[in-house]
Amino acid sequence: MHASEWQNGNFPQRLKRARRSSGLTQMELADRLGTRQFTVSRIEGGRKPRDPLLSRVVAFIGNAERSSPEIQDKLVSAIARSDELKALIARIAAEL
């Protein structure tokens, strides 16, 4: 990943959002990533980390975004636009 991809992918903002939605402080995230709070702060400020930290940051963002209720709601909404899926969801909901 090049620096431009890092910035264009909004990774610094996505990291901050993922950290906050996970209920972590910068220090707690730093512990999970195996780095220092100062480094997390710099990454959230736009500094691209070096590998292998970059890989751990991208994995954390991906995991946090996949488990985010907001993202899940958007996926369900997008899926529900299909008439067949709407009917299936309605049948499942009726059985609950």
Side-chain angles (χ1 to χ4, degrees):
M1 175 182 297
H2 297 286
S4 62
E5 291 173 303
W6 175 256
Q7 291 296 335
N8 293 339
N10 295 318
F11 283 98
Q13 295 86 357
R14 289 170 62 194
L15 176 61
K16 190 173 197 174
R17 186 172 49 247
R19 175 181 60 79
R20 287 180 172 172
S21 71
S22 298
L24 299 174
T25 65
Q26 287 183 343
M27 180 64 95
E28 292 166 332
L29 178 58
D31 288 342
R32 285 189 181 192
L33 295 174
T35 191
R36 298 175 296 153
Q37 179 274 328
F38 175 76
T39 303
V40 171
S41 177
R42 289 176 59 167
I43 295 169
E44 288 183 355
R47 177 73 54 102
K48 180 182 169 239
R50 294 182 182 161
D51 275 325
L53 179 57
L54 174 60
S55 299
R56 294 192 304 267
V57 168
V58 170
F60 173 79
I61 292 169
N63 290 335
E65 288 178 346
R66 279 191 296 277
S67 64
S68 166
E70 179 181 311
I71 299 296
Q72 290 174 2
D73 288 346
K74 286 180 182 179
L75 289 172
V76 168
S77 177
I79 291 169
R81 290 188 198 120
S82 162
D83 289 335
E84 284 181 43
L85 289 173
K86 281 183 188 178
L88 176 61
I89 291 170
R91 283 196 314 265
I92 293 170
E95 293 176 10
L96 296 177

Coordinates of all heavy atoms in Angstrom, one line a residue:
M1 N 0.8 -1.2 0.0 CA 0.0 0.0 0.0 C 0.9 1.2 0.0 O 1.8 1.4 0.8 CB -0.9 0.0 1.2 CG -1.7 1.2 1.4 SD -2.7 1.2 2.9 CE -3.8 -0.1 2.6
H2 N 0.6 2.1 -0.9 CA 1.4 3.4 -1.0 C 0.8 4.4 -0.1 O -0.4 4.3 0.3 CB 1.4 3.9 -2.5 CG 2.1 2.9 -3.4 ND1 3.4 2.8 -3.4 CD2 1.6 2.0 -4.3 CE1 3.8 1.9 -4.3 NE2 2.7 1.4 -4.9
A3 N 1.5 5.5 0.1 CA 1.0 6.6 1.0 C -0.3 7.2 0.4 O -1.2 7.5 1.2 CB 2.1 7.7 1.1
S4 N -0.4 7.3 -0.9 CA -1.6 7.9 -1.5 C -2.8 7.0 -1.3 O -3.9 7.4 -1.0 CB -1.4 8.1 -3.0 OG -1.2 6.9 -3.7
E5 N -2.6 5.7 -1.4 CA -3.7 4.7 -1.1 C -4.1 4.8 0.4 O -5.3 4.7 0.7 CB -3.2 3.3 -1.4 CG -3.0 3.0 -2.9 CD -2.5 1.6 -3.1 OE1 -1.4 1.3 -2.6 OE2 -3.1 0.9 -3.8
W6 N -3.1 5.0 1.2 CA -3.4 5.2 2.7 C -4.3 6.4 2.9 O -5.4 6.3 3.5 CB -2.1 5.3 3.4 CG -2.3 5.6 4.9 CD1 -2.1 6.8 5.5 CD2 -2.6 4.7 5.9 NE1 -2.4 6.7 6.8 CE2 -2.7 5.4 7.1 CE3 -2.9 3.3 5.9 CZ2 -3.0 4.8 8.3 CZ3 -3.2 2.7 7.1 CH2 -3.3 3.4 8.3
Q7 N -4.0 7.5 2.3 CA -4.8 8.7 2.4 C -6.1 8.6 1.7 O -7.2 8.9 2.2 CB -4.0 9.9 2.0 CG -2.9 10.3 2.8 CD -3.3 10.7 4.3 OE1 -4.4 11.2 4.5 NE2 -2.4 10.5 5.2
N8 N -6.1 8.1 0.4 CA -7.3 8.1 -0.4 C -8.3 7.1 0.2 O -9.5 7.2 0.0 CB -7.0 7.7 -1.8 CG -6.2 8.8 -2.5 OD1 -6.2 10.0 -2.1 ND2 -5.5 8.5 -3.5
G9 N -7.9 6.1 0.9 CA -8.7 5.1 1.5 C -9.3 5.5 2.8 O -10.0 4.8 3.5
N10 N -9.0 6.7 3.2 CA -9.4 7.3 4.5 C -9.1 6.4 5.7 O -9.8 6.3 6.7 CB -10.9 7.6 4.5 CG -11.3 8.6 3.5 OD1 -10.6 9.6 3.4 ND2 -12.4 8.4 2.7
F11 N -8.0 5.7 5.6 CA -7.6 4.8 6.7 C -7.4 5.5 8.0 O -7.8 4.9 9.0 CB -6.4 4.0 6.3 CG -6.7 2.8 5.3 CD1 -6.5 3.0 4.0 CD2 -7.2 1.7 5.8 CE1 -6.8 2.0 3.1 CE2 -7.5 0.6 4.9 CZ -7.3 0.8 3.6
P12 N -6.8 6.7 8.1 CA -6.6 7.3 9.4 C -8.0 7.6 10.0 O -8.2 7.3 11.2 CB -5.9 8.6 9.1 CG -5.1 8.3 7.8 CD -6.0 7.4 7.0
Q13 N -9.0 8.1 9.3 CA -10.3 8.3 9.8 C -11.0 7.0 10.2 O -11.7 6.9 11.2 CB -11.2 9.1 8.8 CG -10.7 10.5 8.6 CD -9.6 10.6 7.5 OE1 -9.2 9.6 6.9 NE2 -9.2 11.8 7.1
R14 N -10.8 6.0 9.3 CA -11.4 4.7 9.5 C -10.9 4.0 10.8 O -11.6 3.4 11.5 CB -11.3 3.8 8.3 CG -12.1 4.3 7.1 CD -11.8 3.5 5.9 NE -12.1 2.1 6.0 CZ -11.6 1.2 5.1 NH1 -10.9 1.6 4.1 NH2 -11.9 -0.1 5.3
L15 N -9.6 4.2 11.0 CA -8.9 3.7 12.2 C -9.5 4.3 13.5 O -9.9 3.6 14.4 CB -7.4 3.8 12.2 CG -6.7 3.4 13.4 CD1 -6.9 1.9 13.7 CD2 -5.2 3.7 13.4
K16 N -9.6 5.6 13.4 CA -10.2 6.3 14.6 C -11.6 5.9 14.9 O -12.0 5.6 16.0 CB -10.1 7.8 14.3 CG -10.4 8.7 15.6 CD -10.1 10.1 15.2 CE -10.1 11.0 16.5 NZ -9.7 12.3 16.2
R17 N -12.4 5.8 13.8 CA -13.8 5.4 14.0 C -13.9 4.0 14.5 O -14.7 3.6 15.4 CB -14.5 5.5 12.6 CG -16.0 5.3 12.7 CD -16.8 5.6 11.4 NE -16.2 5.1 10.2 CZ -15.6 5.8 9.2 NH1 -15.6 7.1 9.3 NH2 -15.1 5.2 8.2
A18 N -13.0 3.1 13.9 CA -13.0 1.7 14.4 C -12.6 1.6 15.8 O -13.2 0.8 16.6 CB -12.1 0.9 13.5
R19 N -11.6 2.3 16.2 CA -11.1 2.3 17.6 C -12.2 2.8 18.5 O -12.5 2.1 19.5 CB -9.9 3.2 17.8 CG -9.4 3.3 19.2 CD -8.2 4.2 19.3 NE -8.4 5.6 18.9 CZ -9.0 6.5 19.6 NH1 -9.6 6.2 20.8 NH2 -9.1 7.8 19.2
R20 N -12.9 3.9 18.2 CA -13.9 4.4 19.0 C -15.1 3.5 19.1 O -15.7 3.3 20.2 CB -14.3 5.8 18.6 CG -13.3 6.8 18.8 CD -13.8 8.2 18.4 NE -12.9 9.2 18.8 CZ -12.9 10.5 18.4 NH1 -13.9 10.8 17.5 NH2 -12.1 11.4 18.9
S21 N -15.5 2.9 18.0 CA -16.7 2.0 18.0 C -16.4 0.7 18.7 O -17.3 0.0 19.2 CB -17.1 1.7 16.6 OG -16.2 0.8 15.9
S22 N -15.1 0.4 18.9 CA -14.7 -0.8 19.6 C -14.5 -0.4 21.1 O -14.2 -1.3 21.9 CB -13.4 -1.3 19.1 OG -13.5 -1.8 17.8
G23 N -14.7 0.8 21.5 CA -14.6 1.3 22.9 C -13.2 1.3 23.4 O -13.0 1.1 24.6
L24 N -12.2 1.5 22.5 CA -10.8 1.5 22.9 C -10.2 2.9 23.0 O -10.6 3.7 22.2 CB -10.0 0.6 22.0 CG -10.4 -0.8 21.8 CD1 -9.6 -1.5 20.7 CD2 -10.2 -1.6 23.1
T25 N -9.3 3.1 23.9 CA -8.5 4.3 23.9 C -7.3 4.0 23.0 O -7.1 2.9 22.5 CB -7.9 4.6 25.3 OG1 -7.1 3.5 25.7 CG2 -9.1 4.7 26.4
Q26 N -6.6 5.1 22.7 CA -5.4 4.9 21.8 C -4.4 4.0 22.5 O -3.8 3.2 21.9 CB -4.8 6.3 21.6 CG -5.5 7.1 20.6 CD -4.8 8.4 20.2 OE1 -3.9 8.9 21.0 NE2 -5.2 9.0 19.1
M27 N -4.3 4.1 23.8 CA -3.4 3.2 24.6 C -3.8 1.8 24.5 O -2.9 0.9 24.3 CB -3.3 3.7 26.0 CG -2.4 2.8 26.9 SD -0.7 3.0 26.3 CE -0.1 4.3 27.4
E28 N -5.1 1.5 24.6 CA -5.6 0.1 24.5 C -5.3 -0.5 23.1 O -5.0 -1.6 23.0 CB -7.0 0.0 24.9 CG -7.2 0.3 26.4 CD -8.7 0.6 26.8 OE1 -9.5 1.1 25.9 OE2 -9.1 0.3 27.9
L29 N -5.6 0.4 22.1 CA -5.4 -0.1 20.8 C -3.9 -0.3 20.5 O -3.5 -1.3 19.9 CB -5.9 0.9 19.7 CG -5.7 0.5 18.3 CD1 -6.3 -0.8 17.9 CD2 -6.2 1.6 17.4
A30 N -3.1 0.6 21.0 CA -1.6 0.4 20.9 C -1.2 -0.9 21.5 O -0.4 -1.7 20.9 CB -0.9 1.6 21.6
D31 N -1.7 -1.3 22.6 CA -1.4 -2.6 23.3 C -1.8 -3.7 22.4 O -1.0 -4.7 22.2 CB -2.0 -2.7 24.6 CG -1.4 -1.8 25.7 OD1 -0.3 -1.3 25.5 OD2 -2.1 -1.6 26.7
R32 N -3.0 -3.6 21.8 CA -3.4 -4.7 20.9 C -2.6 -4.8 19.6 O -2.4 -5.9 19.1 CB -4.9 -4.5 20.5 CG -5.9 -4.8 21.6 CD -7.3 -4.7 21.0 NE -8.2 -5.0 22.1 CZ -9.5 -5.2 21.9 NH1 -10.0 -5.2 20.7 NH2 -10.3 -5.4 22.9
L33 N -2.1 -3.7 19.1 CA -1.3 -3.7 17.9 C 0.1 -3.9 18.2 O 0.9 -4.1 17.2 CB -1.5 -2.4 17.2 CG -2.9 -2.0 16.6 CD1 -3.0 -0.6 16.1 CD2 -3.4 -3.1 15.6
G34 N 0.5 -3.9 19.4 CA 1.9 -4.1 19.7 C 2.8 -2.9 19.5 O 3.9 -3.0 19.0
T35 N 2.3 -1.7 19.7 CA 3.0 -0.5 19.5 C 2.7 0.5 20.6 O 2.2 0.1 21.7 CB 2.6 0.1 18.1 OG1 3.5 1.2 17.8 CG2 1.2 0.6 18.1
R36 N 3.1 1.7 20.5 CA 2.9 2.7 21.5 C 1.7 3.7 21.2 O 1.3 3.8 20.0 CB 4.2 3.6 21.6 CG 5.4 2.7 22.1 CD 6.6 3.5 22.1 NE 6.9 4.0 20.7 CZ 7.6 5.1 20.4 NH1 8.1 5.8 21.3 NH2 7.8 5.4 19.1
Q37 N 1.2 4.3 22.2 CA 0.0 5.2 22.0 C 0.4 6.3 21.1 O -0.4 6.8 20.2 CB -0.4 5.8 23.4 CG -1.5 6.8 23.3 CD -1.1 8.2 23.1 OE1 0.0 8.6 23.5 NE2 -1.9 9.0 22.4
F38 N 1.6 6.8 21.2 CA 2.1 7.9 20.3 C 2.0 7.5 18.8 O 1.6 8.3 18.0 CB 3.6 8.2 20.7 CG 4.2 9.2 19.8 CD1 3.9 10.6 19.9 CD2 5.2 8.8 18.8 CE1 4.5 11.5 19.0 CE2 5.8 9.8 18.0 CZ 5.4 11.1 18.1
T39 N 2.3 6.2 18.6 CA 2.3 5.7 17.2 C 0.8 5.7 16.7 O 0.5 6.1 15.5 CB 2.9 4.3 17.1 OG1 4.3 4.4 17.6 CG2 2.9 3.8 15.7
V40 N -0.1 5.2 17.5 CA -1.5 5.2 17.1 C -2.0 6.6 16.9 O -2.7 6.9 15.9 CB -2.4 4.6 18.2 CG1 -3.9 4.7 17.9 CG2 -2.0 3.1 18.3
S41 N -1.6 7.6 17.7 CA -2.0 9.0 17.5 C -1.4 9.5 16.2 O -2.2 10.2 15.4 CB -1.4 9.8 18.6 OG -1.7 11.2 18.4
R42 N -0.2 9.2 15.8 CA 0.4 9.6 14.6 C -0.4 8.9 13.4 O -0.6 9.6 12.4 CB 1.9 9.3 14.5 CG 2.6 10.2 15.4 CD 4.1 9.9 15.5 NE 4.7 10.0 14.2 CZ 6.0 9.9 13.9 NH1 6.8 9.8 14.9 NH2 6.4 10.0 12.7
I43 N -0.7 7.7 13.5 CA -1.4 7.0 12.4 C -2.8 7.6 12.2 O -3.2 7.9 11.1 CB -1.6 5.5 12.7 CG1 -0.2 4.8 12.8 CG2 -2.5 4.8 11.7 CD1 -0.2 3.4 13.3
E44 N -3.5 7.9 13.3 CA -4.8 8.5 13.2 C -4.7 10.0 12.6 O -5.6 10.5 12.0 CB -5.5 8.6 14.6 CG -6.0 7.2 15.0 CD -6.8 7.3 16.3 OE1 -6.9 8.3 17.0 OE2 -7.3 6.2 16.7
G45 N -3.5 10.5 12.8 CA -3.3 11.9 12.2 C -2.9 11.8 10.8 O -2.7 12.9 10.2
G46 N -2.7 10.6 10.2 CA -2.4 10.5 8.8 C -1.1 9.9 8.4 O -0.8 9.6 7.3
R47 N -0.2 9.6 9.4 CA 1.0 9.0 9.1 C 0.8 7.5 8.8 O 0.2 6.8 9.5 CB 1.9 9.1 10.4 CG 3.3 8.4 10.3 CD 4.3 9.1 9.4 NE 4.5 10.5 9.7 CZ 5.6 11.0 10.3 NH1 6.5 10.1 10.8 NH2 5.7 12.3 10.6
K48 N 1.4 7.1 7.7 CA 1.2 5.7 7.2 C 2.2 4.8 8.0 O 3.4 5.1 8.0 CB 1.5 5.5 5.8 CG 1.4 4.1 5.2 CD 1.7 4.1 3.8 CE 1.8 2.6 3.3 NZ 3.1 2.4 2.8
P49 N 1.8 3.8 8.7 CA 2.7 2.9 9.4 C 3.5 2.0 8.5 O 3.1 1.8 7.4 CB 1.8 2.1 10.3 CG 0.5 2.0 9.6 CD 0.4 3.3 8.9
R50 N 4.6 1.5 9.0 CA 5.4 0.6 8.2 C 4.9 -0.8 8.4 O 4.2 -1.1 9.4 CB 6.8 0.6 8.7 CG 7.5 1.9 8.4 CD 8.9 1.9 8.8 NE 9.5 3.2 8.5 CZ 10.6 3.6 9.1 NH1 11.3 2.9 10.0 NH2 11.1 4.8 8.8
D51 N 5.2 -1.7 7.5 CA 4.9 -3.1 7.7 C 5.8 -3.6 8.8 O 6.9 -3.1 9.0 CB 5.1 -4.0 6.4 CG 3.9 -3.9 5.5 OD1 2.8 -3.9 6.0 OD2 4.1 -3.9 4.3
P52 N 5.4 -4.6 9.6 CA 4.1 -5.3 9.7 C 3.0 -4.6 10.4 O 1.9 -5.1 10.5 CB 4.5 -6.6 10.3 CG 5.6 -6.2 11.3 CD 6.3 -5.1 10.6
L53 N 3.3 -3.5 11.0 CA 2.2 -2.7 11.8 C 1.1 -2.4 10.8 O -0.1 -2.4 11.2 CB 2.8 -1.5 12.5 CG 1.8 -0.6 13.2 CD1 1.1 -1.5 14.3 CD2 2.5 0.5 13.9
L54 N 1.4 -2.0 9.6 CA 0.4 -1.6 8.6 C -0.6 -2.8 8.5 O -1.8 -2.5 8.5 CB 1.0 -1.3 7.3 CG 0.1 -1.0 6.1 CD1 -0.9 0.2 6.4 CD2 0.8 -0.7 4.9
S55 N -0.1 -4.0 8.3 CA -1.0 -5.1 8.2 C -1.9 -5.3 9.4 O -3.1 -5.6 9.2 CB -0.2 -6.4 8.0 OG 0.6 -6.3 6.8
R56 N -1.4 -5.1 10.6 CA -2.2 -5.2 11.8 C -3.2 -4.1 11.9 O -4.4 -4.4 12.3 CB -1.3 -5.3 13.0 CG -0.4 -6.5 13.1 CD 0.3 -6.7 14.4 NE 1.1 -5.5 14.9 CZ 2.4 -5.4 14.7 NH1 3.1 -6.3 14.0 NH2 3.0 -4.3 15.2
V57 N -2.9 -2.9 11.4 CA -3.8 -1.8 11.5 C -5.0 -2.1 10.5 O -6.2 -1.9 10.8 CB -3.1 -0.5 11.1 CG1 -4.1 0.6 10.8 CG2 -2.2 -0.1 12.3
V58 N -4.6 -2.5 9.3 CA -5.6 -2.8 8.2 C -6.6 -3.9 8.7 O -7.8 -3.9 8.5 CB -5.0 -3.1 6.9 CG1 -6.0 -3.6 5.9 CG2 -4.3 -1.8 6.3
A59 N -6.0 -4.9 9.3 CA -6.8 -6.1 9.8 C -7.7 -5.6 10.9 O -8.9 -6.0 11.0 CB -5.9 -7.2 10.3
F60 N -7.2 -4.7 11.8 CA -8.1 -4.2 12.9 C -9.3 -3.4 12.3 O -10.4 -3.6 12.7 CB -7.3 -3.3 13.9 CG -8.2 -2.7 14.9 CD1 -8.6 -3.3 16.0 CD2 -8.5 -1.3 14.7 CE1 -9.4 -2.7 16.9 CE2 -9.4 -0.7 15.7 CZ -9.8 -1.4 16.8
I61 N -9.0 -2.6 11.4 CA -10.0 -1.8 10.7 C -11.1 -2.7 10.1 O -12.3 -2.5 10.3 CB -9.4 -0.8 9.7 CG1 -8.6 0.3 10.4 CG2 -10.6 -0.2 8.8 CD1 -7.8 1.1 9.4
G62 N -10.6 -3.7 9.3 CA -11.5 -4.6 8.7 C -12.4 -5.3 9.6 O -13.6 -5.5 9.5
N63 N -11.8 -5.9 10.7 CA -12.6 -6.6 11.7 C -13.6 -5.7 12.4 O -14.7 -6.1 12.6 CB -11.6 -7.2 12.7 CG -10.8 -8.4 12.2 OD1 -11.2 -9.0 11.2 ND2 -9.7 -8.6 12.7
A64 N -13.2 -4.5 12.7 CA -14.1 -3.6 13.4 C -15.2 -3.2 12.5 O -16.4 -3.1 13.0 CB -13.3 -2.4 13.9
E65 N -14.9 -2.9 11.3 CA -16.0 -2.5 10.3 C -17.0 -3.6 10.0 O -18.2 -3.4 9.9 CB -15.4 -2.0 9.0 CG -14.7 -0.6 9.2 CD -14.1 -0.1 8.0 OE1 -13.9 -0.8 7.0 OE2 -13.7 1.1 8.0
R66 N -16.4 -4.9 10.0 CA -17.3 -6.0 9.7 C -18.3 -6.3 10.9 O -19.4 -6.7 10.7 CB -16.5 -7.3 9.4 CG -16.1 -7.3 8.0 CD -15.5 -8.7 7.6 NE -14.3 -9.0 8.4 CZ -13.1 -8.6 8.1 NH1 -12.9 -7.9 7.0 NH2 -12.1 -8.9 8.8
S67 N -17.8 -6.0 12.1 CA -18.6 -6.3 13.3 C -19.4 -5.1 13.7 O -20.2 -5.2 14.7 CB -17.7 -6.8 14.4 OG -16.8 -5.7 14.8
S68 N -19.3 -4.0 13.0 CA -20.0 -2.7 13.4 C -21.5 -2.9 13.1 O -21.9 -3.2 12.0 CB -19.5 -1.6 12.6 OG -20.4 -0.5 12.6
P69 N -22.4 -2.6 14.1 CA -23.8 -2.7 13.9 C -24.3 -1.8 12.7 O -25.2 -2.1 12.0 CB -24.4 -2.2 15.2 CG -23.4 -2.4 16.2 CD -22.1 -2.3 15.5
E70 N -23.6 -0.6 12.6 CA -24.0 0.3 11.5 C -23.7 -0.3 10.2 O -24.6 -0.2 9.3 CB -23.2 1.6 11.7 CG -23.4 2.6 10.6 CD -22.6 3.9 10.8 OE1 -22.5 4.4 11.9 OE2 -22.0 4.3 9.8
I71 N -22.6 -1.0 10.0 CA -22.3 -1.6 8.7 C -23.2 -2.8 8.5 O -23.7 -3.0 7.4 CB -20.8 -2.1 8.7 CG1 -19.8 -0.9 8.9 CG2 -20.5 -2.9 7.5 CD1 -19.9 0.1 7.8
Q72 N -23.5 -3.5 9.5 CA -24.4 -4.7 9.4 C -25.8 -4.2 8.9 O -26.4 -4.8 8.1 CB -24.5 -5.5 10.7 CG -23.2 -6.2 11.0 CD -23.2 -6.9 12.3 OE1 -24.2 -6.8 13.1 NE2 -22.1 -7.5 12.7
D73 N -26.3 -3.1 9.5 CA -27.6 -2.5 9.1 C -27.6 -2.1 7.7 O -28.6 -2.4 7.0 CB -27.9 -1.3 10.0 CG -28.3 -1.7 11.4 OD1 -28.5 -2.9 11.7 OD2 -28.3 -0.8 12.3
K74 N -26.5 -1.5 7.2 CA -26.4 -1.1 5.8 C -26.4 -2.3 4.9 O -27.1 -2.3 3.8 CB -25.1 -0.3 5.6 CG -25.2 1.1 6.1 CD -23.9 1.9 5.9 CE -24.0 3.2 6.5 NZ -22.8 4.0 6.2
L75 N -25.8 -3.4 5.3 CA -25.8 -4.6 4.5 C -27.1 -5.2 4.4 O -27.6 -5.6 3.3 CB -24.8 -5.6 5.0 CG -23.3 -5.3 4.8 CD1 -22.4 -6.3 5.6 CD2 -22.9 -5.3 3.4
V76 N -27.8 -5.3 5.5 CA -29.2 -5.9 5.6 C -30.1 -5.0 4.7 O -30.9 -5.6 4.0 CB -29.7 -6.0 7.0 CG1 -31.2 -6.3 7.1 CG2 -28.9 -7.1 7.8
S77 N -30.0 -3.7 4.8 CA -30.8 -2.8 4.0 C -30.6 -3.0 2.5 O -31.5 -3.1 1.8 CB -30.5 -1.4 4.4 OG -31.3 -0.5 3.6
A78 N -29.3 -3.2 2.1 CA -29.0 -3.4 0.7 C -29.5 -4.7 0.2 O -30.1 -4.8 -0.9 CB -27.5 -3.3 0.5
I79 N -29.4 -5.7 1.0 CA -29.9 -7.0 0.7 C -31.4 -7.0 0.6 O -32.0 -7.7 -0.3 CB -29.4 -8.1 1.7 CG1 -27.9 -8.3 1.5 CG2 -30.1 -9.4 1.5 CD1 -27.2 -9.1 2.7
A80 N -32.0 -6.3 1.5 CA -33.5 -6.3 1.6 C -34.1 -5.6 0.4 O -35.3 -5.7 0.2 CB -33.9 -5.7 2.9
R81 N -33.4 -5.0 -0.5 CA -34.0 -4.3 -1.6 C -34.4 -5.3 -2.7 O -35.2 -5.0 -3.5 CB -32.9 -3.3 -2.2 CG -32.7 -2.1 -1.3 CD -31.9 -1.1 -2.0 NE -31.4 -0.2 -1.0 CZ -30.1 0.1 -0.7 NH1 -29.2 -0.5 -1.5 NH2 -29.7 0.9 0.2
S82 N -33.9 -6.5 -2.6 CA -34.3 -7.6 -3.5 C -35.7 -8.1 -3.1 O -35.9 -8.4 -1.9 CB -33.3 -8.7 -3.5 OG -33.8 -9.9 -4.1
D83 N -36.6 -8.2 -4.0 CA -37.9 -8.7 -3.7 C -37.9 -10.1 -3.1 O -38.6 -10.4 -2.2 CB -38.9 -8.6 -4.9 CG -39.2 -7.2 -5.3 OD1 -39.2 -6.3 -4.4 OD2 -39.5 -6.9 -6.5
E84 N -37.1 -11.0 -3.7 CA -37.1 -12.4 -3.2 C -36.5 -12.4 -1.8 O -37.0 -13.1 -0.9 CB -36.2 -13.2 -4.1 CG -36.8 -13.6 -5.4 CD -35.9 -14.5 -6.2 OE1 -35.2 -15.4 -5.6 OE2 -35.8 -14.3 -7.4
L85 N -35.5 -11.6 -1.6 CA -34.9 -11.5 -0.2 C -35.9 -10.9 0.8 O -35.9 -11.3 1.9 CB -33.6 -10.8 -0.2 CG -32.5 -11.6 -0.9 CD1 -31.2 -10.8 -1.0 CD2 -32.2 -12.9 -0.1
K86 N -36.6 -9.9 0.3 CA -37.6 -9.3 1.2 C -38.6 -10.3 1.7 O -39.0 -10.4 2.9 CB -38.3 -8.1 0.5 CG -37.6 -6.8 0.4 CD -38.5 -5.8 -0.3 CE -37.7 -4.5 -0.5 NZ -38.5 -3.6 -1.2
A87 N -39.1 -11.1 0.8 CA -40.1 -12.2 1.1 C -39.5 -13.2 2.1 O -40.1 -13.6 3.0 CB -40.6 -12.9 -0.2
L88 N -38.2 -13.6 1.8 CA -37.5 -14.5 2.7 C -37.4 -13.9 4.1 O -37.7 -14.6 5.1 CB -36.2 -14.9 2.1 CG -35.3 -15.8 3.0 CD1 -36.0 -17.2 3.2 CD2 -34.0 -16.1 2.3
I89 N -36.9 -12.7 4.2 CA -36.8 -12.0 5.5 C -38.1 -11.9 6.2 O -38.2 -12.2 7.4 CB -36.1 -10.7 5.3 CG1 -34.6 -10.8 4.8 CG2 -36.2 -9.8 6.6 CD1 -34.0 -9.6 4.4
A90 N -39.2 -11.6 5.5 CA -40.5 -11.5 6.1 C -40.9 -12.9 6.6 O -41.5 -12.9 7.7 CB -41.5 -11.0 5.1
R91 N -40.7 -14.0 5.9 CA -41.0 -15.3 6.4 C -40.3 -15.7 7.6 O -40.8 -16.2 8.6 CB -40.8 -16.3 5.3 CG -41.9 -16.3 4.2 CD -41.8 -17.6 3.4 NE -40.5 -18.1 2.9 CZ -40.0 -17.8 1.7 NH1 -40.7 -17.1 0.9 NH2 -38.8 -18.2 1.4
I92 N -39.0 -15.4 7.6 CA -38.1 -15.7 8.8 C -38.6 -14.9 10.0 O -38.7 -15.4 11.1 CB -36.6 -15.4 8.5 CG1 -36.2 -16.5 7.4 CG2 -35.8 -15.5 9.7 CD1 -34.8 -16.2 6.9
A93 N -38.9 -13.6 9.7 CA -39.3 -12.7 10.8 C -40.6 -13.2 11.4 O -40.9 -13.1 12.6 CB -39.4 -11.3 10.3
A94 N -41.5 -13.7 10.5 CA -42.8 -14.2 11.0 C -42.7 -15.4 11.9 O -43.5 -15.7 12.8 CB -43.7 -14.4 9.8
E95 N -41.7 -16.2 11.6 CA -41.4 -17.4 12.4 C -40.8 -17.1 13.8 O -40.8 -18.0 14.6 CB -40.5 -18.4 11.6 CG -41.2 -18.9 10.4 CD -40.3 -19.8 9.5 OE1 -39.2 -20.1 10.0 OE2 -40.7 -20.1 8.4
L96 N -40.2 -16.0 13.9 CA -39.5 -15.7 15.2 C -40.5 -15.3 16.3 O -41.5 -15.0 16.4 CB -38.5 -14.5 15.0 CG -37.4 -14.9 14.1 CD1 -36.5 -13.6 13.9 CD2 -36.5 -16.0 14.6

